[in-house]
Amino acid sequence: MQRPQTSHDRMRIFSGIQPTGTLHIGNYFGAIRNWVALQDDYDCIYSIVDYHAITAPFKPDKLRRRSHDLALDLLACGIDPERSTIFIQSAIPEHAELCWIFSAITSFGDLSRMTQFKEKSQETDFISAGLFIYPILQAADILLYRAQRVPVGEDQLQHLELSRRIARRFNSRFGDFFPEIEPIVGKGARIMSLANPSRKMSKSDGEAHYIGVMEDARSIHKKIRSAVTDIGPTPAQGMSEGVANLFQILELTGESDLYQEMQAEFVAGTLRYSNLKEIVFQTLMEVLAPIQKQRAQLAAEGQIEKILSAGAEKARVIAKENIRTIRRMVGLAV
Ligand code: TRP
């Protein structure tokens, strides 16, 4: 198959990430690294989804700063604003408008089945209506640009299925407008917490549980050295979750020779965890150090505001044109 040449015959991708804290290596290996690779073959639109972030408790002064910081992080990781469109979601209020329109064709029953809502709503006292309709906003994000492919983690597949239902219902009620959406699930990288390897790596569990992409080497070293390796009774066969997690990180850094070597030592029963940890640390820093350097340079250049508003400008052109058509199809004011 020939590679498409222009943005017109490239398939469009949309994906989003919430500005809810520091980017960790689970985000990087599980999502962002795929986003970067996809830029070669697709017309990519990537959004920092602050409208989504406000559905959980947040502080206004932190929110805007985090959105900007995350934009710098994404660029440092290799998102290229020349080839892709990167912007902050709330710069395009059409996302919220389409969410409202979609809310009229989404059933309460479908929303009630969303497992992410069930989980998240157990973590807070105040359960916002926004948290409940979060998946509708996600559908609006994707469909506002009529994107066909959506790179996501496995945990988002249910939301994407709902997006597909919404698109189909719209098309059958108002006429064919939205394409079929297909998820692109990354290599299934699911990095676990260092301090509790039975849980997925997450910022909300606290400092000891994750490694930040921009974290300084000393602190990363310390966290890896104190990573849990064997918890509870040693399983009769196989590796403990913590050791498997360290191996997974090693594998993700792309050092397959070292990975094989360590695996062989494990099988032979000669592996020293302290040695494994040292190697994981060093190979991981080989991936992170250039990103951190790039991050510092981008921050010093001070162009992020400009880059984001140029990105929003590109997104706005598409969003405005599509929302106009949608309004007309639905019978709203034009
Ligand atoms: N809900 C997604 C997550 O938590 C983030 C997101 C928002 C998203 N809008 C999106 C992902 C649109 C893909 C497409 O990871």
Side-chain angles (χ1 to χ4, degrees), residues 244-309:
N245 194 35
L246 290 171
F247 268 107
Q248 160 149 259
I249 297 172
L250 183 57
E251 191 175 22
L252 287 167
T253 62
E255 290 286 342
S256 50
D257 289 351
L258 271 173
Y259 176 81
Q260 298 299 346
E261 219 173 280
M262 294 289 111
Q263 282 280 352
E265 283 192 25
F266 180 83
V267 172
T270 55
L271 179 64
R272 276 169 43 228
Y273 290 158
S274 59
N275 189 30
L276 173 65
K277 286 175 170 179
E278 201 49 43
I279 284 174
V280 168
F281 167 68
Q282 270 159 23
T283 54
L284 182 62
M285 284 320 296
E286 274 167 36
V287 176
L288 299 185
I291 295 175
Q292 296 185 352
K293 202 173 148 207
Q294 184 68 11
R295 173 69 161 74
Q297 196 179 324
L298 286 163
E301 282 166 13
Q303 296 294 305
I304 195 65
E305 297 275 353
K306 252 194 220 154
I307 291 171
L308 287 172
S309 65

Side-chain angles (χ1 to χ4, degrees), residues 14-16 18 49 52 116 134 138 141-142 150 152 156 159:
F14 184 97
S15 200
Q18 290 197 52
V49 292
H52 280 93
Q116 187 167 304
Y134 178 114
Q138 186 164 346
D141 293 342
I142 301 162
V150 184
V152 283
Q156 294 298 309
H159 286 168

Side-chain angles (χ1 to χ4, degrees), residues 34-301:
N34 295 328
W35 289 16
V36 172
L38 290 164
Q39 297 179 114
D40 293 336
D41 299 305
Y42 294 88
D43 168 21
C44 298
I45 304 181
Y46 295 130
S47 185
I48 292 162
V49 292
D50 54 350
Y51 277 149
H52 280 93
I54 63 172
T55 61
F58 72 102
K59 296 213 170 66
D61 51 336
K62 277 199 180 154
L63 182 63
R64 190 173 298 110
R65 204 183 60 232
R66 286 202 162 144
S67 294
H68 283 101
D69 285 352
L70 181 54
L72 281 170
D73 292 350
L74 295 176
L75 296 188
C77 289
I79 302 298
D80 174 3
E82 297 289 324
R83 287 189 293 159
S84 301
T85 302
I86 174 167
F87 70 102
I88 298 176
Q89 184 188 30
S90 65
I92 315 290
E94 283 79 4
H95 286 253
E97 180 176 354
L98 187 57
C99 175
W100 181 253
I101 294 171
F102 282 168
S103 78
I105 57 165
T106 307
S107 80
F108 184 84
D110 280 351
L111 275 182
S112 309
R113 278 187 284 280
M114 296 293 122
T115 53
Q116 187 167 304
F117 173 74
K118 289 183 203 167
E119 284 165 22
K120 291 262 160 86
S121 59
Q122 267 163 15
E123 293 164 14
T124 43
D125 295 333
F126 180 77
I127 304 167
S128 69
L131 188 66
F132 187 59
I133 65 165
Y134 178 114
I136 308 183
L137 180 58
Q138 186 164 346
D141 293 342
I142 301 162
L143 293 165
L144 183 57
Y145 302 96
R146 299 210 281 174
Q148 295 128 295
R149 295 288 181 272
V150 184
V152 283
E154 301 233 349
D155 62 336
Q156 294 298 309
L157 290 178
Q158 195 189 27
H159 286 168
L160 280 206
E161 199 46 51
L162 181 68
S163 298
R164 291 158 62 88
R165 277 171 74 82
I166 293 173
R168 285 198 211 112
R169 184 163 299 135
F170 183 99
N171 288 350
S172 72
R173 287 230 7 222
F174 306 111
D176 234 348
F177 187 63
F178 295 118
E180 279 276 320
I181 301 166
E182 298 285 350
I184 299 177
V185 181
K187 285 196 210 98
R190 203 172 128 87
I191 297 185
M192 311 307 282
S193 154
L194 295 175
N196 179 2
S198 59
R199 283 174 67 84
K200 191 176 153 184
M201 181 175 282
S202 142
K203 301 160 268 207
S204 45
D205 286 339
E207 272 287 323
H209 293 263
Y210 70 88
I211 294 175
V213 173
M214 304 304 166
E215 201 168 318
D216 73 87
R218 274 187 52 201
S219 160
I220 294 178
H221 196 203
K222 212 166 124 200
K223 285 184 186 176
I224 292 179
R225 260 196 330 226
S226 46
V228 170
T229 43
D230 289 313
I231 47 164
T234 314
Q237 81 274 48
M239 244 178 224
S240 66
E241 288 167 311
V243 176
N245 194 35
L246 290 171
F247 268 107
Q248 160 149 259
I249 297 172
L250 183 57
E251 191 175 22
L252 287 167
T253 62
E255 290 286 342
S256 50
D257 289 351
L258 271 173
Y259 176 81
Q260 298 299 346
E261 219 173 280
M262 294 289 111
Q263 282 280 352
E265 283 192 25
F266 180 83
V267 172
T270 55
L271 179 64
R272 276 169 43 228
Y273 290 158
S274 59
N275 189 30
L276 173 65
K277 286 175 170 179
E278 201 49 43
I279 284 174
V280 168
F281 167 68
Q282 270 159 23
T283 54
L284 182 62
M285 284 320 296
E286 274 167 36
V287 176
L288 299 185
I291 295 175
Q292 296 185 352
K293 202 173 148 207
Q294 184 68 11
R295 173 69 161 74
Q297 196 179 324
L298 286 163
E301 282 166 13

